[in-house]
Amino acid sequence: MTDPPPVADRRPTTRTHHGDAVVDEYEWLRDKDDPAVIAHLTAENAYTDGRLAPLEPVRQAIFDEIKARTKETDLSVPTREGGWWYYSRTQEGFQYARHHRAPIAGPDDWTPPQLEDEVPGEQLLLDDNAEAEGHDFYALGSFDVSLDGTRMLWAVDTEGDERYTLFVKDLATGERFPDVIEGTMPGGMFAPDGRSLYYTTCDEAWRPDTVWRHELGATGQDEQVFTEEDERYWVGIGMTRSRRYLEIGVGSKITSESLLLDTQDPDAGFRVVWPRREGVEYSVEHAVIDGEDLLLVLHNDGAENFELVAVPPSDPGAERRVLIPHRESTRLEDVDAFAGFVTVSYRRHGLARIGLLSGDPEREDAIEEIEFDEPLFTAGFGANPEWDQPTLRIGFTSMVTPSTVFDYSVASKHLRLLKQQPVLGGYDPLKYMERREWALAEDGTQIPISLVGAAELFGEPERPSPMLLYGYGSYEASIDPSFSIARLSLLDRGVVFAIAHVRGGGEMGRRWYEEGKTLAKRNTFTDFVAAARHLVTEGYTSPELLVAEGASAGGLLMGAVANLAPELFAGIHAGVPFVDPLTSILDPTLPLTVIEWDEWGDPLHDPEVYRYMKSYSPLENVAEHPYPRILATTSLNDTRVLYVEPAKWVARLREVGADVLLKIEMSAGHGGVSGRYAAWRERAFELAWILDVLGLA
């Protein structure tokens, strides 16, 4: 018989804001240096292990299925940059990739090599397995090769706290430079000359706030290039594809600013393109169109779904020439300039699409779309680092089509298949079917739902099917249709997988996001409930056969719907869940809190925001009613959603008799465990629990 669940000590503390006093019995769990906290978390893991021990055969079976379907010894499609093809290899039995390069055959060589076991001139650049040796966690945060191809930098995190140590190597000799830089953020890069490099660091709240320049071999203090004092803004650094400009990007959730350094006139320093204005977001790309140097600015200044304009680099505040006008139906997301053309990434009818700037004034939308023939899909541009190239690397996937890589000839408008993700064991996409449904939200808004399942389940179903319904709905992040090998272990057991594209995400344009944030955040939760009710009403599933899943801000969604409509779900999996949002967003000393005020509102200074967030906070709205089975998963070293949030939530749910389990990775961060085999086992653990809830384990 399984031991009773752990009971956290009650050590009341009082939080008072805007005249409202809240007693928190479990805030003491925040101190992970307290041995009593670690003891409690260890007890939670032991309880979960004991409860779910009977599922070990199912977990192992799912892990074996994922492993059997995955081509373990594989490689990426090579990407050309400079005089080399760059690619990565994975090898059976190894957790991580190895990064390689091989020389191009000549300047006109744009056909990626068919890589065999031995490639003439191949060089091993970095072996992640060797870097990870002796560490429970490993993540690669920066990786760059100098423009002349002679030096490489990389940065690694071995704790899971998203702070990286940066290293540099001479690729001719294989020797490491003595230059080692601690505490960097991802995105370190070489300067165009290759003799110096740029990197960013963060403040105590984990906000990337400073750009530094390091001269290789220098032993003194690095040059502080730029620091952003406003706690709402983060910074980063990059370089235009043309190599003409270095760019410092500064942004909050709702405002951005770009500073450019002309590499042909470096003494002029970084100059602001458009001074920041509250609520105006923009990005900048350097282009040469009809021989004219231009800055392409994608912005939302009076254009909710963004428009694309061109301005002269010498006077970016001059009159704007509109290249792609604003459209209610099209959310422009990204623009990339090449020597001979301009590409556009955008969303229309809830799908991620790609095209080229047409240059045809007769075309109303000014975009020549690269079309695909599936009803639900996700298309995007891949790695295209060269300024002057005749082809474009494109990625495509759907809920039934594995990740596919094409080269697109701009001149012939022809797609050439380079590789499709192998799915071993005889995968047949015709056995499965994808479709879109639309649910009616409380306010009459149509909410899209993407579904995939065994083809026979999408006829006239004789009975409801087991279903996993996924949701996120924050930060304008879109959960687009995509393929998953691990998901096949559900589909082949008769489970239908669905995504509720709720407001707060970006699937249907900028307004979709605006209607699911700050004082409209409840729409995210009620949209998900509406999607679940629709799927039940239409006969796809039933409450006894429906499990909900979401992670991070999607974990907040899970906690909210557990309180709003517990009767609709048999189970809920909340990954790294943001379930104590009010406590976190009230504390500006916590990682990233001030940055988050533009997303959630500022409850510290605004009593209306405080009351609104309190009305939906999962922890503060746990009530005396039946809950579905709940699994919460988290990581001890997560710096984005601290482990204490699900730990407190689980303790509170136990007070009202909920059947809830907590699983804590003791050496991982926000993204969970590192290493592909460890990640497969983690997902097998979650899927086995889901199948158990659905009565299929």
Side-chain angles (χ1 to χ4, degrees):
M1 185 173 179
T2 305
D3 292 335
V7 177
D9 291 343
R10 296 187 181 185
R11 305 179 188 177
T13 58
T14 301
R15 182 195 75 207
T16 303
H17 292 277
H18 308 296
D20 181 45
V22 175
V23 177
D24 189 334
E25 306 275 3
Y26 303 112
E27 178 62 15
W28 67 274
L29 291 168
R30 186 175 300 276
D31 183 8
K32 68 178 180 180
D33 294 326
D34 182 347
V37 172
I38 298 301
H40 177 74
L41 299 180
T42 301
E44 289 281 11
N45 275 340
Y47 175 69
T48 298
D49 288 344
R51 278 282 307 275
L52 300 185
L55 296 181
E56 174 55 32
V58 182
R59 293 198 291 266
Q60 186 62 47
I62 295 172
F63 174 82
D64 291 342
E65 290 165 12
I66 297 171
K67 191 169 183 287
R69 289 179 171 126
T70 302
K71 187 177 181 183
E72 297 178 68
T73 299
D74 201 5
L75 42 84
S76 63
V77 177
T79 297
R80 177 176 155 167
E81 185 169 11
W84 302 86
W85 291 104
Y86 290 87
Y87 51 94
S88 298
R89 293 183 183 271
T90 56
Q91 185 175 341
E92 184 175 355
F94 289 85
Q95 292 270 22
Y96 303 99
R98 293 183 174 93
H99 307 277
H100 299 262
R101 71 178 181 179
I104 63 173
D108 296 326
D109 177 17
W110 287 96
T111 301
Q114 297 295 312
L115 302 177
E116 306 296 339
D117 290 338
E118 297 293 333
V119 179
E122 180 178 273
Q123 296 180 6
L124 173 63
L125 300 178
L126 183 69
D127 184 348
D128 286 335
N129 299 284
E131 296 292 307
E133 190 171 345
H135 301 287
D136 293 330
F137 180 89
Y138 171 82
L140 183 65
S142 299
F143 184 86
D144 191 34
V145 177
S146 60
L147 292 180
D148 64 6
T150 63
R151 294 170 175 174
M152 179 184 76
L153 68 77
W154 72 103
V156 301
D157 168 19
T158 56
E159 298 293 332
D161 61 2
E162 300 184 62
R163 293 196 183 189
Y164 298 79
T165 301
L166 189 149
F167 305 93
V168 184
K169 183 166 75 172
D170 186 311
L171 293 177
T173 66
E175 297 295 321
R176 295 193 180 198
F177 283 74
D179 311 63
V180 175
I181 306 173
E182 304 279 355
T184 72
M185 302 301 284
M189 56 169 280
F190 281 105
D193 62 12
R195 297 189 300 271
S196 59
L197 56 89
Y198 291 92
Y199 63 93
T200 57
T201 58
C202 64
D203 61 13
E204 292 181 356
W206 252 256
R207 175 182 66 97
D209 70 330
T210 303
V211 176
W212 302 85
R213 180 179 174 274
H214 173 79
E215 191 78 26
L216 289 176
T219 57
Q221 175 71 32
D222 288 346
E223 178 190 355
Q224 184 173 320
V225 178
F226 180 86
T227 295
E228 176 56 54
E229 300 293 345
D230 192 324
E231 293 179 316
R232 297 177 303 156
Y233 290 82
W234 48 261
V235 303
I237 187 163
M239 184 161 48
T240 61
R241 182 176 286 99
S242 65
R243 315 291 195 256
R244 175 69 182 271
Y245 295 97
L246 289 171
E247 179 185 7
I248 292 175
V250 185
S252 71
K253 300 290 184 182
I254 61 172
T255 307
S256 57
E257 184 177 63
S258 289
L259 298 86
L260 297 182
L261 172 71
D262 188 340
T263 58
Q264 296 181 6
D265 184 19
D267 292 338
F270 283 90
R271 295 179 174 177
V272 173
V273 178
W274 289 354
R276 71 185 71 170
R277 285 170 45 211
E278 189 78 4
V280 174
E281 301 167 65
Y282 71 91
S283 61
V284 178
E285 178 74 316
H286 172 235
V288 179
I289 299 178
D290 297 329
E292 182 183 5
D293 264 314
L294 294 168
L295 295 181
L296 305 185
V297 184
L298 188 65
H299 72 90
N300 70 338
D301 184 10
E304 184 178 54
N305 274 336
F306 289 71
E307 76 173 359
L308 180 66
V309 301
V311 296
S314 59
D315 185 13
E319 183 177 353
R320 308 169 184 180
R321 186 203 317 170
V322 176
L323 301 180
I324 304 179
H326 174 265
R327 291 283 181 266
E328 292 289 340
S329 61
T330 303
R331 166 65 162 98
L332 299 176
E333 293 193 321
D334 198 16
V335 169
D336 286 297
F338 297 81
F341 50 87
V342 174
T343 65
V344 188
S345 302
Y346 56 103
R347 312 189 68 84
R348 185 181 292 145
H349 304 313
L351 298 178
R353 305 167 188 266
I354 53 176
L356 275 71
L357 183 66
S358 71
D360 180 359
E362 300 301 318
R363 294 182 67 99
E364 182 181 4
D365 61 4
I367 301 172
E368 183 179 326
E369 183 168 326
I370 301 172
E371 297 183 346
F372 299 91
D373 61 1
E374 291 196 39
L376 299 177
F377 65 85
T378 301
F381 292 108
N384 292 289
E386 293 285 74
W387 170 243
D388 193 357
Q389 58 183 66
T391 60
L392 285 168
R393 185 65 48 82
I394 287 174
F396 174 86
T397 186
S398 76
M399 299 179 88
V400 299
T401 301
S403 178
T404 306
V405 179
F406 296 99
D407 264 355
Y408 177 76
S409 170
V410 176
S412 68
K413 305 186 187 328
H414 174 69
L415 281 170
R416 179 162 63 97
L417 176 66
L418 298 180
K419 182 174 183 176
Q420 188 168 85
Q421 175 189 8
V423 184
L424 306 182
Y427 171 70
D428 180 3
L430 296 179
K431 289 175 54 181
Y432 309 93
M433 184 176 291
E434 56 186 350
R435 72 165 45 171
R436 175 151 286 177
E437 286 283 324
W438 296 84
L440 193 64
E442 288 184 348
D443 61 0
T445 301
Q446 294 281 335
I447 310 301
I449 310 168
S450 299
L451 299 97
V452 64
E456 62 266 21
L457 298 178
F458 286 95
E460 291 295 332
E462 297 179 3
R463 62 183 184 276
S465 299
M467 178 177 285
L468 176 62
L469 179 62
Y470 188 88
Y472 186 74
S474 292
Y475 304 110
E476 203 178 359
S478 300
I479 308 301
D480 290 315
S482 63
F483 183 82
S484 165
I485 283 181
R487 189 188 301 146
L488 293 176
S489 292
L490 291 180
L491 304 187
D492 288 351
R493 288 171 170 83
V495 179
V496 174
F497 176 77
I499 304 168
H501 302 287
V502 296
R503 281 175 285 184
E507 288 90 339
M508 301 293 287
R510 172 51 66 93
R511 188 168 302 171
W512 201 251
Y513 169 49
E514 297 289 349
E515 291 180 356
K517 62 181 291 194
T518 57
L519 294 177
K521 188 62 196 170
R522 287 183 65 87
N523 284 335
T524 302
F525 317 137
T526 55
D527 285 357
F528 192 87
V529 171
R533 292 195 194 283
H534 175 86
L535 293 167
V536 169
T537 301
E538 293 300 310
Y540 284 99
T541 190
S542 67
E544 299 78 19
L545 295 174
L546 181 58
V547 173
E549 183 177 47
S552 193
L556 165 63
L557 170 60
M558 295 300 101
V561 300
N563 292 329
L564 284 173
E567 73 283 354
L568 273 176
F569 307 97
I572 292 176
H573 171 221
V576 288
F578 186 43
V579 284
D580 188 17
L582 191 51
T583 300
S584 295
I585 299 299
L586 280 166
D587 187 350
T589 68
L590 291 178
L592 305 178
T593 286
V594 175
I595 288 177
E596 295 290 325
W597 283 347
D598 285 330
E599 176 76 19
W600 309 97
D602 176 5
L604 183 62
H605 302 101
D606 188 331
E608 182 183 9
V609 172
Y610 176 89
R611 288 190 295 270
Y612 188 78
M613 290 191 71
K614 187 177 180 183
S615 75
Y616 68 71
S617 168
L619 178 65
E620 300 192 49
N621 288 278
V622 170
E624 295 277 356
H625 58 66
Y627 279 87
R629 289 173 60 182
I630 293 175
L631 171 65
T633 53
T634 188
S635 299
L636 185 65
N637 295 328
D638 190 344
T639 57
R640 300 188 184 213
V641 179
L642 303 185
Y643 72 90
V644 67
E645 298 202 24
K648 291 166 63 174
W649 183 51
V650 166
R652 180 72 183 96
L653 284 165
R654 291 236 175 89
E655 290 183 20
V656 298
D659 181 359
V660 56
L661 299 174
L662 177 62
K663 181 177 182 289
I664 311 105
E665 290 294 338
M666 303 302 280
S667 58
H670 191 64
V673 295
S674 63
R676 55 178 178 162
Y677 296 109
W680 296 348
R681 289 202 179 276
E682 184 177 68
R683 190 54 178 158
F685 179 94
E686 296 162 355
L687 293 183
W689 180 84
I690 289 167
L691 289 171
D692 185 52
V693 173
L694 295 172
L696 299 173

